[in-house]
Amino acid sequence: MSLTVHQFPCLSDNYGFLVRDEATGTTATIDTPDADAILAQLDRLGWTLDLILNTHWHPDHAGGNAAIQAATGATIVGPPEVTRIAPLDRSVGQGDTVMLGETPLAVIDTGGHTLGHIAYHDAADRIAFVGDTLFALGCGRLFEGTPEQMWGSLSKLAALPDDTTVYCAHEYTAANARFALSVDDAPALRDRAEAVFAARERGEPTVPTTIGLEKATNPFLRAPLLRPHLTPADAFGEIRAAKDGFKG
Ligand code: ZN
Ligand code: FE
């Protein structure tokens, strides 16, 4: 019951994640942003790929499915919408469990960015792979879902233990921090934003994050506090719309 996560940047601002169950050596890639980059990392680590775990159907998440499956024979697991653009062997949704070797990964429906978006949660190790639902200081755009749906999805993630490590699929944190500072003056946010800008200057990643840190500083999770006169979902929707129009 322990996972090793190998994170690496790919495409312009995506992260790739190779995840290995230490007890069995069973290995998965979370999404397939860049087939060549993922295959090169597997080679470098000497890991053999068994599973492709998709979070949603967007090309920077499922676009490498066919090439990686052809090269490794890995089984592809994901939400049904993946078949819009890529092969899928097993379709999963809320309440399903995917075994990575001996480690159970619970599937959490986190629709909103796309309708069939899912996250993978390893409760024992307190690790979650959240795709484009929750970002460090941000959240995914609503391409297919409603504010109500996305607020429900973010609330499920926010209910995980504070010390849960959150692997988000993009390095958007500096831009998210500039927006966050425009809508929220929490002292914890100012300190975090400074740390984020400094880390990015040094070329360091700001992912992973934690549920506790996001609850304290992410304006999308803090929306009901920032817009107390609105319902939580409407408060979230207003902050999301402001971000969509933000020129930082
Ligand atoms: Zn996406
Ligand atoms: Fe994406």
Side-chain angles (χ1 to χ4, degrees), residues 60-61 132 170:
D60 63 314
H61 297 263
D132 288 356
H170 290 272

Side-chain angles (χ1 to χ4, degrees), residues 146-149 151-152 223-224 230-240:
T146 62
E148 289 71 22
Q149 184 184 13
W151 177 250
L230 298 175
T231 66
D234 285 349
F236 165 75
E238 196 172 289
I239 304 280
R240 182 61 256 178

Side-chain angles (χ1 to χ4, degrees), residues 14 55-61 113-114 117 131-133 135 140-141 143 169-170 172:
N14 280 75
T55 60
H56 64 297
W57 69 267
H58 282 162
D60 63 314
H61 297 263
H113 172 70
T114 61
H117 195 296
D132 288 356
T133 298
F135 292 126
R141 274 176 191 267
F143 287 114
H170 290 272
Y172 289 157

Side-chain angles (χ1 to χ4, degrees), residues 179-191 216-217 219 222 225-226:
F179 170 73
L181 289 167
S182 78
V183 292
D184 191 352
D185 59 3
L189 170 63
R190 286 200 294 275
D191 291 347
T217 55
R222 288 170 47 78
L225 296 168
L226 300 177

Side-chain angles (χ1 to χ4, degrees), residues 20-54:
R20 184 174 157 100
D21 172 54
E22 286 306 327
T24 60
T26 309
T27 299
T29 179
I30 305 298
D31 287 325
T32 57
D34 181 335
D36 289 341
I38 291 163
L39 293 171
Q41 294 287 331
L42 284 165
D43 212 42
R44 193 167 78 79
L45 295 163
W47 292 0
T48 303
L49 193 71
D50 302 287
L51 284 172
I52 293 169
L53 303 179
N54 290 133

Side-chain angles (χ1 to χ4, degrees), residues 6 14 28 32 37 42 52 70 79 84 107 119 151 188 201 205-206 220 243-245:
H6 173 67
N14 280 75
T32 57
L42 284 165
I52 293 169
R84 291 183 194 174
V107 175
W151 177 250
E201 290 266 303
T206 64
F220 297 97
K243 172 72 162 66
D244 291 342

Side-chain angles (χ1 to χ4, degrees), residues 11 57 75 87 95 114 120 123 133 140 149 159-161 176 190 193 207 214:
L11 303 181
W57 69 267
T75 299
T114 61
Y120 296 92
T133 298
Q149 184 184 13
L160 299 177
N176 288 342
R190 286 200 294 275
V207 172
E214 294 314 313

